[in-house]
């Protein structure tokens, strides 16, 4: 296949769904790991196409969602300093901290700038030698190489006024944490296509072997997700627990070696806090000692920040596949994308935001068609 539309062909989708129906003999719970996969599943209603035996639950792979609230508050405190130009990707600007979002911080006079690459910050740092330029480095292994490259270049160029506020997390420890939980329901994973484009899938092989769980590295289009589901169900039905690669057009076992080397050159593994989940040991990156002069956490010493998540929010259980957004009493009422209360509503890739965007808050309370018509 050459064009993206071919990965959305409804006749092929129906054939795959029919094959899933013929294959499945008992209930199975599968988790898609990436927020982008969740978004596609909800957008195209793929979970509604599957037979009732196959349940899809939504994993922790939305990078904006899992960035902890105290880290967002820390970003705001740094951005408010008069000597700082605070740079971020656009999607972090509307994520609320304890007291508003970065748009509000900017409206109050702070120098907050949207960039498309952390490397853009180096130009900003060069042009503003009297300012400290800080980039908010969040996300999974996908964004880590470019962030690492920016610091490596800054050090090579002697740009002392550039630093990273790092909140990087890694997918495999979060999957291990889910599987180790006594409450775990997940029996198979649709593995994270984007992350594996960087990291390959070697590091998932011990997880599959140790926990006897199939992991099928899967893409993001509807046919990718249905095929990944079929491959996972086939493994489960035949008692296999292997790594398979549905997304072979983009993923190799070894991944992008130069990108991995750049990550290893600049970062070291650290315990990280995940919003909605808590601290997962050795689940993220921090800057290594060699790059300490570019570590915003160290430079600005904001101190400890106490935050409190709303008690009503069940996003931690959603991110671990224990519940779905519709089971939250605040979903679509107190909590919407305009007034997000928790991790899985703050980003468009979050499960609650995806359910809301595609009208699933309307389904529970009345006639769907009438309500959508009234809403648009
Ligand atoms: S709907 Fe809002 S409050 Fe409920 S789980 Fe999702 S993010 Fe949390």
């Amino acid at each position: 296949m050459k064009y993206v539309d071919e990965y959305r062909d409804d006749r092929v989708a129906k054939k795959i769904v029919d094959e899933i129906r013929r294959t499945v003999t008992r209930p199975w719970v599968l988790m898609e790991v990436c927020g982008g996969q969740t978004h596609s599943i909800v957008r195209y209603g793929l979970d509604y196409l599957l037979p009732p035996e196959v349940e899809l639950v939504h994993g922790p792979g939305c990078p904006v969602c899992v960035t902890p609230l105290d880290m967002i508050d820390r970003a705001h405190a740094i951005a408010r300093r008069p000597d700082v130009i605070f740079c971020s990707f656009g999607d972090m600007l509307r994520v609320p901290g304890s007291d508003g979002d970065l748009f509000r911080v900017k409206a109050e006079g702070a120098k907050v700038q949207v960039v498309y690459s952390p490397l853009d910050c180096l130009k900003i740092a060069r042009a503003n030698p009297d300012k400290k330029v800080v980039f908010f480095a969040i996300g999974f292994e996908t964004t880590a190489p470019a962030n690492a490259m920016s610091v490596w270049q800054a050090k090579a160029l002697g740009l002392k006024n550039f630093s990273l506020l790092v909140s990087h997390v890694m997918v495999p420890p979060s999957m291990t944490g889910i599987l180790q939980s006594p409450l775990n329901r997940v029996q198979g994973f649709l593995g994270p296509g984007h992350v594996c484009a960087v990291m390959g899938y070697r590091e998932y092989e011990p997880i599959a072997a140790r926990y006897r769980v199939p992991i099928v590295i899967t893409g993001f289009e509807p046919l990718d997700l249905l095929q990944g589901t079929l491959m996972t169900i086939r493994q489960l039905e035949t008692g296999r627990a292997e790594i398979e690669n549905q997304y072979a057009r983009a993923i190799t076992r070894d991944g992008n070696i130069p990108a991995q080397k750049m990550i290893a050159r600049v970062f070291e593994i650290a315990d990280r806090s995940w919003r909605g989940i808590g601290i997962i040991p050795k689940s993220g990156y921090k800057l290594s000692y060699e790059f300490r002069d570019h570590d915003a956490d160290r430079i600005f010493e904001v101190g400890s920040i106490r935050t409190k998540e709303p008690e009503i929010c069940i996003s931690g259980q959603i991110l671990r596949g224990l519940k779905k957004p519709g089971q939250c009493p605040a979903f679509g009422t107190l909590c919407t994308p305009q007034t997000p209360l928790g991790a899985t509503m703050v980003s468009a890739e979050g499960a609650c935001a995806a359910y809301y965007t595609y009208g699933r808050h309307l389904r529970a309370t009345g006639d769907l068609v009438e309500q959508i018509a009234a809403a648009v």
Side-chain angles (χ1 to χ4, degrees):
M1 291 198 279
K2 280 169 67 181
Y3 303 107
V4 73
D5 283 356
E6 296 174 278
Y7 293 93
R8 300 173 185 176
D9 187 319
D10 55 352
R11 287 164 306 172
V12 182
K14 187 172 178 315
K15 283 184 189 165
I16 301 174
V17 170
D18 287 345
E19 184 58 25
I20 293 171
R21 283 184 204 284
R22 281 192 289 273
T23 305
V24 72
T25 63
R26 49 166 286 195
W28 298 109
V29 177
L30 314 187
M31 172 178 276
E32 84 280 356
V33 175
C34 275
Q37 292 169 330
T38 304
H39 192 88
S40 267
I41 286 166
V42 181
R43 177 179 180 188
Y44 293 102
L46 303 181
D47 47 344
Y48 290 158
L49 296 178
L50 295 173
E53 293 90 343
V54 182
E55 183 184 357
L56 295 181
V57 294
H58 316 304
C62 161
V64 174
C65 301
V66 298
T67 302
L69 194 52
D70 68 293
M71 187 55 80
I72 293 164
D73 287 352
R74 195 175 298 268
H76 293 186
I78 293 172
R80 282 195 169 97
R81 292 177 55 117
D83 56 341
V84 164
I85 299 175
F86 193 85
C87 301
S88 168
F89 293 137
D91 53 358
M92 286 309 289
L93 263 67
R94 58 170 291 274
V95 178
S98 300
D99 185 22
D101 56 23
L102 274 171
F103 276 123
R104 178 164 163 188
V105 174
K106 184 176 165 75
E108 288 167 356
K111 293 175 201 64
V112 177
Q113 196 158 332
V114 173
V115 293
Y116 296 100
S117 159
L119 298 173
D120 294 344
C121 301
L122 302 187
K123 289 183 209 144
I124 298 169
R126 249 196 242 117
N128 296 274
D130 56 329
K131 298 288 184 196
K132 293 172 180 162
V133 176
V134 182
F135 179 70
F136 199 3
I138 70 137
F140 289 93
E141 295 94 325
T142 32
T143 49
N147 293 342
M149 173 69 90
S150 69
V151 166
W152 183 80
Q153 282 199 0
K155 186 170 168 60
L157 294 167
L159 267 180
K160 293 192 177 0
N161 64 332
F162 171 68
S163 60
L164 290 184
L165 180 62
V166 179
S167 186
H168 269 301
V169 285
M170 302 184 299
V171 168
S174 70
M175 290 169 65
T176 304
I178 287 165
L179 291 168
Q180 284 175 341
S181 166
L183 301 174
N184 175 46
R185 301 176 63 226
V186 178
Q187 295 160 297
F189 286 99
L190 305 184
H194 285 158
V195 167
C196 292
V198 174
M199 303 305 288
Y201 54 84
R202 276 178 189 274
E203 57 189 344
Y204 296 86
E205 291 167 355
I207 299 176
R210 177 169 177 196
Y211 297 97
R212 297 290 309 152
V213 62
I215 302 173
V216 176
I217 310 305
T218 302
F220 297 82
E221 292 297 332
L223 295 192
D224 291 325
L225 289 155
L226 290 174
Q227 191 183 16
T229 302
L230 174 59
M231 292 165 76
T232 313
I233 294 292
R234 277 182 177 149
Q235 285 204 45
L236 287 165
E237 290 284 346
T238 54
R240 289 179 294 130
E242 300 165 6
I243 301 290
E244 287 184 292
N245 184 10
Q246 182 280 329
Y247 203 25
R249 68 183 184 278
I251 307 297
T252 63
R253 182 169 182 245
D254 289 332
N256 183 332
I257 302 286
Q260 293 167 29
K261 282 186 177 161
M262 181 50 70
I263 292 174
R265 175 82 179 79
V266 169
F267 292 120
E268 57 187 54
I269 307 288
D271 297 348
R272 277 281 170 205
S273 178
W274 296 54
R275 187 171 186 181
I277 297 177
I279 292 176
I280 302 179
K282 298 182 179 171
S283 66
Y285 299 123
K286 67 176 183 180
L287 284 169
S288 67
Y289 186 74
E290 182 186 345
F291 293 90
R292 64 194 179 284
D293 292 341
H294 299 278
D295 185 346
D297 245 338
R298 191 174 160 274
I299 294 166
F300 295 102
E301 291 185 354
V302 174
S304 68
I305 291 178
R306 292 174 70 89
T307 55
K308 198 163 179 287
E309 298 279 3
E311 279 179 18
I312 198 170
C313 179
I314 60 165
S315 60
Q317 295 175 69
I318 293 171
L319 291 166
R320 284 174 286 166
L322 302 175
K323 291 204 170 158
K324 302 265 187 83
Q327 293 171 275
C328 172
F331 173 65
T333 53
L334 291 175
C335 184
T336 70
Q338 288 73 42
T339 55
L341 291 181
T344 40
M345 191 65 95
V346 294
S347 159
E349 280 192 9
C352 294
Y355 272 55
Y356 187 94
T357 302
Y358 297 109
R360 295 196 180 184
H361 59 302
L362 304 175
R363 180 172 287 270
T365 54
D367 184 274
L368 181 63
V369 175
E370 273 180 24
Q371 289 186 56
I372 289 177
V376 292

